[in-house]
Amino acid sequence: RPGDREEVELGVKTKPRTKRPPMYKVLLLNDDFTPMEFVVHVLERLFSMTHAQAIEIMLTVHRKGVAVVGVFSHEIAETKVAQVMELARRQQHPLQCTMEKE
Ligand code: TYC
C-alpha cells in the first residue's frame, strides 16, 4: 500500500512491543479423600512454602475447592503439575492439579 514504507521508516503506527512470555497458574483441586497432611507436604516440597503457608493454602483449597499454588512459565508449570500428580499417584491419593494460562 502507498505509505506503508514511510510509516515503517518513521515508526508511525508501530507500537513498541516488549515480549513477555505467557505465565501459567498452577491450581490445586479439593477432593474428599487426600489427607490434609499429604497436601501440606506436597506444597512444602514442590512449591517451597513454609509449613504455615502450606497449611493456609491447603485449607483454602479445602474450603473453596481450588486455589492457585503458584505462577510459572509453561515448562515449569507443566513440570510442577506432573510432579504433584506423580506424588499423588504413588500414594494412591486422588489429588488433582492442573494449569491454566493467566
Ligand atoms: N478435603 C481433604 C480432606 O478433608 C483435604 C484436601 C485439601 C484435599 C486440599 C485436597 O487439594 C486438596 N481430607
Side-chain angles (χ1 to χ4, degrees), residues 4-69:
D4 281 1
R5 188 168 54 81
E6 289 84 347
E7 285 177 358
V8 170
E9 285 167 0
L10 293 169
V12 176
K13 286 185 180 174
T14 51
K15 255 192 193 165
R17 288 263 175 227
T18 56
K19 52 185 318 139
R20 277 177 296 98
M23 298 295 275
Y24 293 79
K25 297 182 283 192
V26 171
L27 308 170
L28 201 60
L29 278 60
N30 189 39
D31 66 74
D32 292 339
F33 305 103
T34 304
M36 290 184 171
E37 62 172 9
F38 177 79
V39 178
V40 170
H41 168 77
V42 165
L43 293 173
E44 289 173 339
R45 186 77 184 275
L46 298 178
F47 296 92
S48 313
M49 294 184 194
T50 66
H51 192 65
Q53 284 173 327
I55 288 171
E56 192 176 307
I57 298 294
M58 180 280 295
L59 286 175
T60 299
V61 178
H62 178 70
R63 292 184 189 124
K64 300 181 70 174
V66 62
V68 176
V69 298

